[in-house]
Amino acid sequence: MDAFMHAAIEEAEAGLREGGIPIGSVLVHGGRILGRGHNRRVQQGSAIRHGEMDALENAGRLPASIYRESVLYTTLSPCPMCSGAILLYGIPRVVIGENRNFMGEEDLLRSRGVDLEILQDARCIALMEAFMRDHPELWNEDIGV
């Protein structure tokens, strides 16, 4: 497994241990992780701290040129909010752990020129399957249902 997806999975597992939703993400530029994060909506009482948003926030303010040369790794297909951030900052490539449990805005991202790689990683799939089964109310809240 790719070391960067492994780091995103570590983030997802950390979120689960904290009582949150197991989705993790890392922002990578030039072979180096600039920011890593996980879904912290439950832990922080946040409306927007999805895994991708947390990784972007933890990377801090960056020049536009850095985003345009970066890759975002995420354990789950990006929702509309996170897809909007990807488009806003011009991140050209997203590596997605899985999209079987949730299909985000992949068509929108592709239509705007974002290169997507979907891994269907067994660990990512198992994390979300178990979480959705055991905590449907938190999952539904997270995706606005």
Side-chain angles (χ1 to χ4, degrees):
M1 175 191 307
D2 181 290
F4 299 126
M5 182 53 68
H6 183 73
I9 293 170
E10 287 176 346
E11 287 292 325
E13 291 171 338
L16 185 62
R17 283 192 304 274
E18 295 168 2
I21 298 161
I23 302 168
S25 184
V26 295
L27 181 67
V28 176
H29 179 264
R32 193 170 68 87
I33 295 175
L34 299 181
R36 53 189 302 151
H38 54 271
N39 188 303
R40 295 178 198 259
R41 289 190 69 247
V42 172
Q43 301 91 311
Q44 295 184 353
S46 171
I48 62 166
R49 278 291 177 128
H50 281 190
E52 299 92 333
M53 302 298 275
D54 195 46
L56 290 169
E57 181 67 16
N58 290 334
R61 184 175 165 207
L62 299 169
S65 61
I66 298 295
Y67 294 115
R68 289 190 199 114
E69 298 172 348
S70 293
V71 179
L72 185 72
Y73 288 75
T74 181
T75 59
L76 188 65
S77 185
C79 77
M81 175 177 64
C82 297
S83 294
I86 291 163
L87 295 174
L88 177 68
Y89 292 111
I91 297 169
R93 184 163 185 263
V94 180
V95 179
I96 298 168
E98 69 108 343
N99 65 4
R100 289 185 190 165
N101 286 299
F102 176 77
M103 173 71 74
E105 296 296 322
E106 293 177 18
D107 289 342
L108 171 65
L109 291 169
R110 282 189 189 100
S111 77
R112 299 281 295 274
V114 178
D115 176 39
L116 303 180
E117 180 181 355
I118 294 98
L119 303 178
Q120 302 303 12
D121 179 83
R123 183 69 184 136
C124 294
I125 293 167
L127 272 170
M128 283 313 298
E129 277 179 355
F131 184 81
M132 292 166 78
R133 179 190 65 237
D134 297 343
H135 304 282
E137 69 293 340
L138 278 180
W139 171 244
N140 288 337
E141 174 191 318
D142 198 61
I143 58 168
V145 173

